[in-house]
Amino acid sequence: MDLADASRALLAEKGGEGRIVSTDERDFHTDRWKNQHPFRNLLPGQV
C-alpha cells in the first residue's frame, strides 16, 4: 500500500463506512477497515 492508498484507507476508516474511490483494487481487496470489514470501492465496475 502506497502513501495515497494509505491516506484513502485512513479517511475511509475515520468516516466510519469504509467507502473509497480507487482504480487500484488489489490493495483494497485484501485490506480491511477496523480489521474486519472490507473496503467498498465506489467506482463502477470495481469489486
Side-chain angles (χ1 to χ4, degrees), residues 16-34:
E17 296 185 30
R19 297 182 300 176
I20 54 131
V21 175
S22 178
T23 57
D24 186 10
E25 62 182 87
R26 62 192 155 100
D27 288 331
F28 294 105
H29 205 63
T30 57
D31 293 333
R32 304 272 186 235
W33 65 282
K34 297 196 177 188

Side-chain angles (χ1 to χ4, degrees), residues 17-21 28 33 37-43 47:
E17 296 185 30
R19 297 182 300 176
I20 54 131
V21 175
F28 294 105
W33 65 282
H37 307 289
F39 286 101
R40 187 170 142 229
N41 197 344
L42 300 177
L43 280 180
V47 176

